[in-house]
Amino acid sequence: MRPQQISRKKLRWFRVIAISIPVLILLFAEVLLRLFNYGHDTSLFIKYPDAPNYWVINKYASEKYFTDITNATKGSIEPFKVEKARNTFRIFVLGESTTAGYPYLHNGSFHRWLQYRLMHTYSDVNFEVINVSLTAVNSYTVLDFGKQVVNYQPDAVLVYTGHNEYYGALGIGSTSHIANNRFLVQTALALKELRSVQLVNNVISSLKPASSNLDQRENLMKRMAQQQAIPYQSEAYKAGITQFRNNMTELCRFMQDKKVPVFLSTLVSNEKDLKPFISDLSDTSANLQYAQANDSHQSGKYLQAKQEYIKAKELDLLRFRAPEALNGIITELAKQYSNVHLVNARTVFEQHSPNGILGKETLLEHVHPNLFGYALLSEAFYQSIKSAGLIKAHAGREMSLTELLSRMPVTKVDSLYGAYTIMMLETGWPFNKPIPTGFKRGDDITAQLAGALSVNRISWLDAMDQLFKYSMKAGDKKTALKAVEAVMLEKPQNTTYPIYAGRLSFELGDSADAAFYFKKAYELDPSFANTQNMYLVFLKNDEPAKATPYIDSAIQQHPSDIELVNLKTIVAEIIRLKTIAGKKANMQIAADYHAIGADEAAIKYKQQ
């Protein structure tokens, strides 16, 4: 008896069912895992738990880029409103550790220098500058984050990236390397968003032998750099450049399609004061080029020395400094896409470096700027934003770079903390520099706080709080103001800090800044107390016309308050008397100001 033949139609259905069953099982498992909240949402932003009307970076957003999530880095907490307020200019910042502001991480970072300058220059605009940069990532993460920030109403996107192209997550020489094929990498990233894939990864991680666990004695640089030596013009070297070109081209094209202005910066690195990390033994080695550059520099042949320093960097086998080819790609992209604005940080740094050679004057070690360097990086972005004419508002008194360097609320605690952090970093690979003989931490309050901060005994907010209290007790209101301004940049949604900044500014004789900060508090919370601060600061500064709208607002809030009605009458009389010349009018103005508690303005008229 012959076996019964299965028809082609039935065979086709059998194959479909055979393929569908495992897919359905996987879908069911995925739904079940999500139902029981297993794994993590890797979206860039989540609702801020402390204030649900704000977005904040998701601490799990970085995990899919790292094959070992113990190396996954976290972003800064910089909340921004879910509902974008009127008259708000929203900027997103993308990049790596330099863009995040390492080693200062708070107000030393370039985006905070930029934010401080913009908000004082365009005082009527509310600036939201949200930094989503991460340490130890590269253009893959920047591209992915960039595609997500367009959903949050950006007015501009700032990009500074490239130094981690080889050893950052998914880099050619990284321990988190997956493949050189972009399709495979992007597929792997998409799969890592699935909870079932996260479950498999977690199971595999739990089965690893104890010896493979994280060695806390190794710094992140060492843990991420798997293929340490990458020769100049080798296949791996070229693959890194191709990877950067493809990712950044896709980002710029995407932003162009979404009509989002992009400010793309050239890269800077230490040319003069950092010898190559790894050199071969050839007669064209990195070390030999570096020695020749030093000789040329000492002989005053600065142009030749610069070229030789750059060549030594290019030949350095350990590629923690971006190849020159990446700056060429950045420049090309700015020409290719009309919405991409070139930020030539390299040129700005050269203009502020002796003989145009980048070194310790602006950089701490290989790629991270010192505080002056971060100010210069902000200057490069500021000038490019200004030239683009995107901010449709009247600029008040523009803050110059010199004034910014003087006024920026970066405290001595921040500066010392950065120095201590770099000193500890350089004791490890690949620097291997011992702590200088005879090093001794200072005994003053700033050194004590910076020391405690550098070993994680206190938080940065605690350090600023202690610095503020100590400075106030010592009568040092300038330092106290810097501490308050620093925290205000860190927590711009909190009304406490602009109120303190306004009071201290007024006590220090800066009535313009006092009005600026009180207005910030009022815009955040138009309460009766903040309304009072607004009209009082204008009255004490002899600006009764500016005070009047806030007096009206106070009356609306407290219509039965007869004192406010009397205040409005007296202020109206002051405005009228100011149009009348003569000693009698001045004496009456002085008396009126004294009657309403504005003796600072009364003195002005008593002396006339």
Side-chain angles (χ1 to χ4, degrees):
M1 189 173 179
R2 296 177 60 186
Q4 188 175 0
Q5 295 271 331
I6 300 176
S7 68
R8 288 185 178 180
K9 185 176 181 181
K10 287 183 178 180
L11 183 61
R12 191 181 306 117
W13 275 108
F14 178 80
R15 288 172 177 170
V16 169
I17 292 170
I19 294 171
S20 299
I21 287 174
V23 172
L24 290 172
I25 291 172
L26 288 174
L27 285 173
F28 177 74
E30 182 68 21
V31 170
L32 198 64
L33 289 169
R34 288 175 182 264
L35 186 64
F36 286 94
N37 292 319
Y38 180 85
H40 303 128
D41 175 10
T42 59
S43 301
L44 179 55
F45 296 114
I46 59 171
K47 293 288 182 67
Y48 191 24
D50 293 346
N53 58 328
Y54 283 83
W55 293 112
V56 71
I57 191 169
N58 181 3
K59 66 179 180 180
Y60 300 114
S62 65
E63 288 192 354
K64 66 180 180 179
Y65 308 105
F66 294 82
T67 54
D68 185 347
I69 62 172
T70 56
N71 290 330
T73 53
K74 312 298 181 187
S76 299
I77 303 299
E78 299 195 334
F80 62 100
K81 287 186 176 180
V82 171
E83 295 294 332
K84 186 178 177 183
R86 186 182 62 83
N87 200 34
T88 294
F89 195 91
R90 181 173 288 175
I91 300 171
F92 288 100
V93 182
L94 305 174
E96 307 157 2
S97 59
T98 295
T99 324
Y102 182 88
Y104 307 104
L105 300 180
H106 296 279
N107 293 337
S109 61
F110 92 84
H111 81 291
R112 291 284 174 82
W113 289 82
L114 178 64
Q115 181 181 0
Y116 188 80
R117 191 177 189 179
L118 285 172
M119 75 182 199
H120 280 278
T121 298
Y122 300 94
S123 59
D124 291 332
V125 178
N126 175 40
F127 288 96
E128 292 179 340
V129 187
I130 305 105
N131 196 334
V132 293
S133 304
L134 298 176
T135 299
V137 299
N138 61 22
S139 60
Y140 273 116
T141 305
V142 170
L143 170 60
D144 196 15
F145 282 9
K147 286 184 173 181
Q148 294 184 67
V149 300
V150 297
N151 300 318
Y152 298 87
Q153 299 174 274
D155 294 293
V157 173
L158 316 186
V159 183
Y160 183 94
T161 189
H163 286 305
N164 287 353
E165 211 53 42
Y166 291 93
Y167 305 119
L170 305 176
I172 301 301
S174 166
T175 54
S176 289
H177 179 62
I178 295 177
N180 290 355
N181 185 291
R182 279 169 53 76
F183 174 77
L184 291 178
V185 172
Q186 291 172 336
T187 300
L189 291 177
L191 288 173
K192 283 188 173 186
E193 295 178 7
L194 299 176
R195 308 304 170 89
S196 50
V197 173
Q198 292 177 25
L199 173 62
V200 172
N201 285 339
N202 290 339
V203 171
I204 293 172
S205 296
S206 68
L207 297 175
K208 286 182 180 180
S211 59
S212 66
N213 289 342
L214 178 65
D215 185 349
Q216 295 290 352
R217 295 168 298 177
E218 293 182 346
N219 63 37
L220 186 58
M221 295 173 73
K222 186 174 183 179
R223 297 201 304 271
M224 293 296 294
Q226 181 182 50
Q227 185 184 343
Q228 294 180 9
I230 300 179
Y232 182 62
Q233 295 297 354
S234 65
E235 289 304 311
Y237 172 90
K238 293 176 182 177
I241 292 171
T242 300
Q243 172 181 288
F244 181 82
R245 181 189 296 277
N246 289 339
N247 284 335
M248 297 311 294
T249 299
E250 185 176 342
L251 177 66
C252 291
R253 184 169 54 243
F254 179 83
M255 293 293 181
Q256 179 100 336
D257 291 343
K258 298 295 183 178
K259 297 181 172 56
V260 176
V262 176
F263 293 82
L264 183 59
S265 176
T266 54
L267 304 162
V268 298
S269 57
N270 195 334
E271 301 164 355
K272 172 172 61 71
D273 296 310
L274 185 85
K275 66 174 294 187
F277 288 117
I278 301 178
S279 177
D280 61 29
L281 301 176
S282 69
D283 56 2
T284 58
S285 70
N287 280 345
L288 184 61
Q289 283 291 323
Y290 188 73
Q292 290 176 355
N294 282 335
D295 290 341
S296 298
H297 190 266
Q298 290 172 8
S299 301
K301 302 174 183 177
Y302 300 118
L303 181 59
Q304 181 178 331
K306 182 174 181 62
Q307 294 169 345
E308 290 167 341
Y309 280 128
I310 292 173
K311 185 64 174 177
K313 181 201 72 173
E314 294 289 281
L315 294 173
D316 188 350
L317 298 177
L318 186 60
R319 304 208 166 273
F320 279 126
R321 293 177 288 179
E324 291 299 293
L326 300 198
N327 275 341
I329 292 169
I330 289 165
T331 304
E332 289 172 12
L333 289 171
K335 293 177 180 177
Q336 184 177 352
Y337 294 95
S338 59
N339 75 315
V340 177
H341 305 269
L342 181 65
V343 178
N344 209 332
R346 173 72 172 268
T347 298
V348 173
F349 272 67
E350 288 173 343
Q351 291 170 347
H352 291 83
S353 300
N355 308 302
I357 303 174
L358 306 189
K360 62 184 179 183
E361 294 81 8
T362 57
L363 293 141
L364 291 166
E365 13 76 331
H366 57 312
V367 295
H368 299 111
N370 55 26
L371 287 171
F372 178 55
Y374 276 119
L376 293 180
L377 189 53
S378 78
E379 161 77 356
F381 276 97
Y382 175 81
Q383 294 300 339
S384 187
I385 292 171
K386 180 182 173 183
S387 297
L390 293 180
I391 303 173
K392 306 302 182 184
H394 173 70
R397 186 175 62 83
E398 185 174 16
M399 184 179 288
S400 67
L401 176 60
T402 301
E403 187 179 0
L404 176 65
L405 288 165
S406 171
R407 292 189 53 182
M408 181 67 190
V410 179
T411 69
K412 192 177 178 182
V413 173
D414 295 299
S415 178
L416 287 173
Y417 167 73
Y420 295 160
T421 301
I422 290 296
M423 184 172 62
M424 289 187 288
L425 172 75
E426 290 184 329
T427 61
W429 183 89
F431 305 97
N432 302 314
K433 290 170 59 176
I435 292 176
T437 304
F439 169 77
K440 186 179 180 182
R441 196 198 72 195
D443 292 327
D444 67 359
I445 185 65
T446 54
Q448 291 176 30
L449 291 173
L453 188 57
S454 64
V455 294
N456 297 318
R457 284 213 314 269
I458 60 173
S459 70
W460 182 81
L461 288 173
D462 286 337
M464 292 300 104
D465 182 58
Q466 290 185 43
L467 179 64
F468 169 76
K469 289 176 179 175
Y470 179 89
S471 301
M472 288 297 290
K473 189 175 180 179
D476 183 1
K477 292 183 179 180
K478 286 186 177 181
T479 300
L481 175 59
K482 278 207 167 186
V484 171
E485 287 183 302
V487 180
M488 193 185 81
L489 285 173
E490 185 84 358
K491 292 185 171 293
Q493 72 278 9
N494 191 309
T495 58
T496 301
Y497 304 111
I499 291 171
Y500 272 99
R503 290 172 181 170
L504 284 167
S505 295
F506 194 83
E507 289 172 13
L508 289 166
D510 192 338
S511 56
D513 264 7
F516 171 81
Y517 285 124
F518 284 136
K519 187 177 180 183
K520 287 292 180 188
Y522 176 82
E523 289 170 348
L524 287 167
D525 176 22
S527 64
F528 182 68
N530 288 335
T531 305
Q532 282 183 306
N533 285 335
M534 286 304 302
Y535 68 68
L536 284 172
V537 73
F538 283 128
L539 291 175
K540 291 182 178 185
N541 198 38
D542 188 27
E543 296 178 287
K546 290 183 179 180
T548 301
Y550 296 100
I551 297 173
D552 290 337
S553 178
I555 292 172
Q556 288 178 358
Q557 294 178 60
H558 290 261
S560 60
D561 192 332
I562 192 65
E563 290 187 6
L564 287 173
V565 177
N566 291 337
L567 174 65
K568 183 177 180 180
T569 302
I570 294 172
V571 171
E573 182 179 48
I574 292 172
I575 293 172
R576 182 184 63 80
L577 289 170
K578 288 183 71 169
T579 64
I580 303 172
K583 188 174 181 179
K584 185 177 179 180
N586 288 341
M587 291 301 294
Q588 185 57 51
I589 291 172
D592 285 343
Y593 270 134
H594 175 72
I596 59 177
D599 288 329
E600 294 84 354
I603 293 172
K604 172 182 173 182
Y605 289 92
K606 285 180 181 179
Q607 295 172 344
Q608 291 181 4

